Amino acid sequence: MKHRLLFFTCLLTWCFNAQVLDPIKWTTSVEKISDTEYNLIATANIDAGWHLYSQTVPEGGPIATTFTYDNSEETFTLNDNTVEEEGHTIQDPVFEMEIKFFERQAKFIQNVTVSKETATISGFVEFMVCDDTRCLPPTEIDLEFQLSEKTNLSTKTKSDITPTTAIDKRTNSTDDSSSNKGLWSIFFIAFLSGFAALLTPCVFPMIPMTVSFFTKQSKNKASGIKNAIIYGICIIVIYLLLGVAVTGIFGADALNALATNVWFNIIFFILLVVFAVSFLGAFEIMLPNSWANKVDSQADRGGLVGIFFMALALAIVSFSCTGPIVGTLLVEAASKGGLAPIIGMFGFSLAIALPFALFAAFPGWLNSLPKSGGWLNTVKVVLGFLELALAFKFLSQADLVLQLHILEREVFIAIWIAIFGTLAFYLFGKIKLPHDSPLSHISVGRLSLGLIVLTFTIYMIPGLWGAPLNIISAFPPPQDYSESPYGVGFSKLGSGGKASAHGELPEGAHLLAPHDIMAFNDYDTGLAYAKKVGKPVMLDFTGWACVNCRKMEQNIWPDPSVLNILKEDVVLISLYVDDKRKLEDDEIVDSQLKPGKKLKYIGQKWSEMQTIKYKSNSQPFYVIIDHNEEKLVDPVGYVPDVEDYHTWLEEGINNF
C-alpha cells in the first residue's frame, strides 16, 4: 500500500511539474493625449495564485519587471519612467526586505511624445511570476503599440517563453491584507511612539498647564469638554499636515524607491545619530523662539482660531523632544511609501492628543498622574539609545547595497551589544548623563527595565558565534554576510574540516557552505566526473535569488539522511538559471524557444535546457539521471518534507 501511495504521489508531482507554464498574458493599448503625445499602456493579465514583481525591487532582492522601447529611428521621446499601479507590498521573510508585486491584473503606462510620423512603437518587457511553491524564469515578451486615432486599441501579444532568470515566491498574504497589515503596523508603532513622547520633559509637564487653561477659560463643563475635543483634533490635524507634506513633496513611489538608495540610508543614519545624541543630552534641537512667540500671541485670540494656535504652540515648544521621534517615524514611514507617512503621523498625534483632551475634559483625573521629575529625562535617554541602535540599520543597508563588507553581521551585533549593554549600565545607575537628576535609589520600574535590557544584551552575544537571533532577524545583515559564514569556531557540517567527502576537489567543482556538498555549475563537466566515479547525477535547476531553493538547502538538505546521499551517493550539478554572466562567443546560439533570439547568458542556456528537455521552467527543480542522461525517477520541485525528499532520492539511486 505504501509503495502504491508513493507511486501516485510521484505521478501527481510529475504531472504538476512537467509542464511549461504560462500564467501571464500581455495586451497593449494606446491612449491619445494630443497630436504628438500618447500613453502606451501594457496590461498584464495574471492567472489566479500567481504574482508579478514590481519595476522597483530593492538591491539584493528578486528580478524586477523591466520595459524597453525601441527608439532606434528616434521617432519619439520617453517622458519620465513607466508608471505602475499601487500593487501589494509585503515584508519578505527570506530576503528581509519589503517587496512589491501584483495580482490578477497590472497596468503599466509610458507617456511618449512623437517627433516623427510613425504607425507603431515596438518594445519588449522582461518579467517574472511566482506562486506559493515555485517561480518561473523571467520571460521576454515583444510588445507592439499601434498609434491610432482610437484610444484603448487592444493588441494581444504572443507569449513565448525565453527563460532567463528564476526567483521564488514569498509566503505571506495574497491580497490587500498584506499592505493593510503594513499600514496597521506603522500606525501601532507610531501610536506607541506618541505615548513615549508624552513621557518626555518637554511634553509631560504641559498636560496640567493645558488642563488648567481650559478649566479656567470654559464657562461650564460642557464647554470645557467641547474645547478639549477641538484641541485634540487640532493636534491631530497639525501632525497630519506634516505627513501629507512629506508625501506630497517626495511622492509615494519616490519614497519607496528612496528606501533602497545608498545615499538615502547614509543621510538618515547621520540624521538618527544626531537625534540620538540630542536625546542623550549633548544639545537640544529647537525651532526658533520667534516662531513660538508669534504662535503663542495668536493663542490669546480665543475661539477655534485660538485653540488651533494653542495646539500649534504645543507642537513647536515640545519639538526638542518630539522632533527626533517624529523624524524617525517619518524616515521609517517614508521607506514604506504610499500613505505610510500620513498614517504614521495620525497614530503619533492621536496618542499625543488623547491625554490632553481627556484630562482637559476630566480634570479630576490629574490627581492620578505621577509628578514630574528626573524619570522624565530617563525616558528621553532610553529613547536616545534606541534611536542610536536604529541608526545602524540604515548604515547596514547602505553597506549591503555597496557590498563593502565593512558592517558585516558580527560588527553590527557587536555595536548593538555595546549600545544596549551601556543602556543597561545607565538604568542601573552606573552611568550619569548631563541632564540627569541625583539618583539616591533605583525604582522598581527602572530596575525591571534594566534587567530586560541586560537580558536582551546577553541574548545577542551568541550571535557573534553564528547564532541566528530570530528575535531581531529583520535588523542585522543576513548570516552569509559575515566574516565567518560557518560561525566563529564552528566546524563545517559533516566534513570534520576536510575539503570534501570526495577527497580533493576535481576541476570545476566547489563546496556549498555550510554543508560542504561538492557541486558543479557546468553540466558537461559534472556529467564527465559522474561517469569517472560511477555515480548518478542530480541536476539542481536553481537561482541565486530563488527563495524556495534556499529553503530546500537550509531546511531539507542538512538532514543527516539527505545530506549523506548528496555528499556520498550522487554528483550534484547546480545550474543557475539567473546567471547573468555572458557566454563565450563560440557558445552563443539561437534560441529554440524563440526564433530570432540569441542565448547570450549562462542562465539562459540552463533555463532553455530545462524547458526543452524536462518540459518545466520553474525552480527549484531536481532531476536524477544516469550516464546516458536518462531520468532515473520522475523529477520533483519544491518538496518541504524531509521524508518525501529522502524517499525520492533513494528511489533514484536504487534505479541507477
Side-chain angles (χ1 to χ4, degrees), residues 340-563:
I342 299 173
I343 297 297
M345 287 301 94
F346 175 68
F348 179 84
S349 60
L350 183 63
I352 293 280
L354 274 176
F356 278 95
L358 289 174
F359 283 115
F362 307 99
W365 293 1
L366 281 175
N367 298 326
S368 61
L369 279 180
K371 294 182 179 179
S372 299
W375 66 273
L376 290 174
N377 190 67
T378 300
V379 173
K380 191 176 177 183
V381 169
V382 170
L383 292 175
F385 277 104
L386 294 178
E387 293 257 11
L388 187 60
L390 182 61
F392 282 94
K393 174 191 174 186
F394 290 92
L395 186 61
S396 171
Q397 289 173 342
D399 183 65
L400 275 168
V401 171
L402 294 174
Q403 289 290 297
L404 298 176
H405 288 269
I406 296 174
L407 197 61
E408 292 182 318
R409 184 178 177 86
E410 293 91 343
V411 177
F412 183 97
I413 293 173
I415 291 172
W416 268 39
I417 290 172
I419 291 173
F420 286 98
T422 305
L423 174 57
F425 277 109
Y426 171 79
L427 291 171
F428 290 141
K430 302 300 181 182
I431 298 174
K432 290 191 67 176
L433 291 174
H435 301 297
D436 285 335
S437 302
L439 188 65
S440 58
H441 67 280
I442 299 177
S443 66
V444 175
R446 182 165 178 162
L447 177 63
S448 300
L449 182 59
L451 289 173
I452 292 172
V453 174
L454 181 60
T455 302
F456 178 64
T457 304
I458 295 173
Y459 164 79
M460 288 190 291
I461 292 175
L464 297 173
W465 284 269
L469 303 181
N470 293 329
I471 293 178
I472 60 169
S473 61
F475 291 94
Q479 284 184 285
D480 59 350
Y481 193 77
S482 62
E483 296 177 4
S484 304
Y486 293 100
V488 178
F490 185 68
S491 299
K492 297 179 180 181
L493 295 178
S495 69
K498 295 180 181 179
S500 168
H502 298 266
E504 292 299 322
L505 289 177
E507 185 179 354
H510 65 282
L511 295 179
L512 292 177
H515 314 308
D516 274 358
I517 302 170
M518 188 180 72
F520 293 85
N521 291 139
D522 181 76
Y523 180 81
D524 294 329
T525 305
L527 181 61
Y529 179 77
K531 292 178 179 179
K532 179 180 177 181
V533 297
K535 294 180 181 180
V537 170
M538 189 180 95
L539 299 179
D540 167 28
F541 289 97
T542 183
W544 293 112
C546 171
V547 177
N548 282 340
C549 302
R550 301 296 86 78
K551 287 181 181 178
M552 290 292 293
E553 294 162 11
Q554 295 170 12
N555 302 328
I556 305 300
W557 287 12
D559 183 82
S561 61
V562 173
L563 186 61

Side-chain angles (χ1 to χ4, degrees), residues 607-622:
S607 186
E608 181 150 310
M609 170 187 171
Q610 179 192 355
T611 305
I612 294 173
K613 195 166 186 176
Y614 300 109
K615 304 299 185 290
S616 175
N617 59 344
S618 64
Q619 291 77 42
F621 190 75
Y622 305 105

Side-chain angles (χ1 to χ4, degrees), residues 81-98:
N81 297 322
T82 303
V83 178
E84 65 185 23
E85 296 177 313
E86 185 175 349
H88 311 292
T89 302
I90 65 166
Q91 179 68 33
D92 191 288
V94 177
F95 286 109
E96 296 183 347
M97 63 177 68
E98 289 206 337

